[in-house]
Amino acid sequence: MSVGSFGSRARPSPVRAVARALAILKSFEAKPLQELKDVAEQARLDKATARRLLLALMAEGFVAQDSETQAYSLGQAVRRLAGSVPDQPDLRRCAAPVLDQLASELRMTAFLSIFRDGAAICLDRYHDMRGLEVRWWSVGGTLPLNCGGAPKLLLALQPEAEVERGLAQPFVALTPKSIMDKATLRRRLALIRKRKWEFAIDDVAVGVSALAVPLFDPAGGLAGAISIAGLTPQMIRRGRPLQLDRLRAAARAIERKLD
């Protein structure tokens, strides 16, 4: 006779529990910062079950919760297992609510990135479910330094020796708009250093553009970059990016949190 025959509550099988936990972790791909109701909806669980699993995942470091907003995000254990995602808890924590709001407000995809070991690395990606989701740059992934808004911006603001190493890397043509000439890219980097922003049109995916601005730490050093990506017609007017002032304001808000 089984234990359940005595009327005790049946426990979910270990396989089912693992499947539910994985569903919760996967839910953060669509929205890196979520409330309990968001997690439950994305994972197709009731709130009580979602909360119980979130607490178990938090205990092991796979999920983190912001003490102020109570919102959930992926924890450091996931990023350590990923290996390619640098451990930047302060930067990610400060940027998360700002970029989540930005993505929701603009209905675009927002990115947090850093320059590490000669590569532009995506630390986090934020997407509003009502808008266009740009998937070309996954968390922990890199983009060629000759393409995109944030990669070129991050390279441009490196010391000269690092810039030269970046220029020596093989160029990749993701679209016909990708810069493939070293002299042209060098001139572009000089312009970026002067104006402190980059607007990349159709050079990663045709019809999609990206706008990037830098983040500076309290000592004035480059901490990383934030960027937004969306359909080109929605991002440009008379040759100038429409959301530049809004993106700069978001960068300042994050920098104040880093102080």
Side-chain angles (χ1 to χ4, degrees):
M1 184 179 293
S2 66
V3 175
S5 301
F6 291 100
S8 62
R9 178 179 295 179
R11 296 181 180 179
S13 70
V15 173
R16 188 181 182 191
V18 170
R20 287 177 167 181
L22 289 174
I24 285 179
L25 294 176
K26 289 179 179 178
S27 74
F28 290 98
E29 181 178 2
K31 191 175 182 183
L33 194 68
Q34 302 186 83
E35 296 180 1
L36 175 60
K37 62 180 179 62
D38 301 319
V39 175
E41 181 179 346
Q42 291 291 325
R44 298 183 179 180
L45 299 170
D46 61 79
K47 287 185 179 180
T49 300
R51 178 173 174 75
R52 185 172 65 252
L53 289 169
L54 282 167
L55 289 173
L57 290 167
M58 287 171 59
E60 298 298 327
F62 286 93
V63 169
Q65 186 177 33
D66 189 286
S67 59
E68 295 181 5
T69 67
Q70 302 301 304
Y72 297 94
S73 63
L74 290 177
Q76 293 302 319
V78 173
R79 301 174 193 285
R80 286 194 295 270
L81 287 175
S84 60
V85 185
D87 191 1
Q88 296 273 335
D90 290 338
L91 181 58
R92 290 187 60 257
R93 176 178 55 79
C94 293
V98 177
L99 293 185
D100 188 59
Q101 179 182 350
L102 185 69
S104 178
E105 176 186 323
L106 299 180
R107 298 192 179 184
M108 295 180 180
T109 304
F111 298 89
L112 173 66
S113 56
I114 62 169
F115 193 88
R116 178 71 60 84
D117 297 329
I121 303 172
C122 176
L123 276 185
D124 254 333
R125 185 178 69 189
Y126 307 81
H127 167 61
D128 179 73
M129 299 299 293
R130 299 167 297 173
L132 173 71
E133 181 175 12
V134 176
R135 292 178 173 268
W136 71 54
W137 204 5
S138 60
V139 175
T142 64
L143 279 177
L145 294 175
N146 62 305
C147 301
K152 293 200 294 290
L153 174 85
L154 289 167
L155 178 60
L157 299 180
Q158 298 303 310
E160 189 61 32
E162 192 63 57
V163 171
E164 291 303 318
R165 281 193 288 271
L167 289 169
Q169 293 184 19
F171 287 11
V172 179
L174 296 180
T175 77
K177 294 287 188 178
S178 301
I179 298 175
M180 295 300 292
D181 177 71
K182 184 180 294 188
T184 302
L185 182 56
R186 192 186 298 275
R187 289 193 296 271
R188 187 71 178 186
L189 296 178
L191 175 63
I192 295 169
R193 280 194 297 273
K194 179 179 179 180
R195 67 187 185 184
K196 300 295 190 297
W197 57 271
E198 170 62 340
F199 187 46
I201 303 174
D202 300 351
D203 69 347
V204 173
V206 175
V208 178
S209 295
L211 176 65
V213 299
L215 293 172
F216 295 103
D217 61 30
L222 182 67
I226 60 172
S227 53
I228 52 174
L231 296 174
T232 299
Q234 297 175 342
M235 296 192 67
I236 188 170
R237 181 181 297 162
R238 298 176 183 175
R240 185 171 176 84
L242 290 171
Q243 295 87 7
L244 180 58
D245 290 343
R246 181 66 185 87
L247 192 60
R248 281 172 165 167
R252 302 295 86 78
I254 295 170
E255 288 171 348
R256 287 193 294 272
K257 290 173 174 285
L258 290 173
D259 286 342

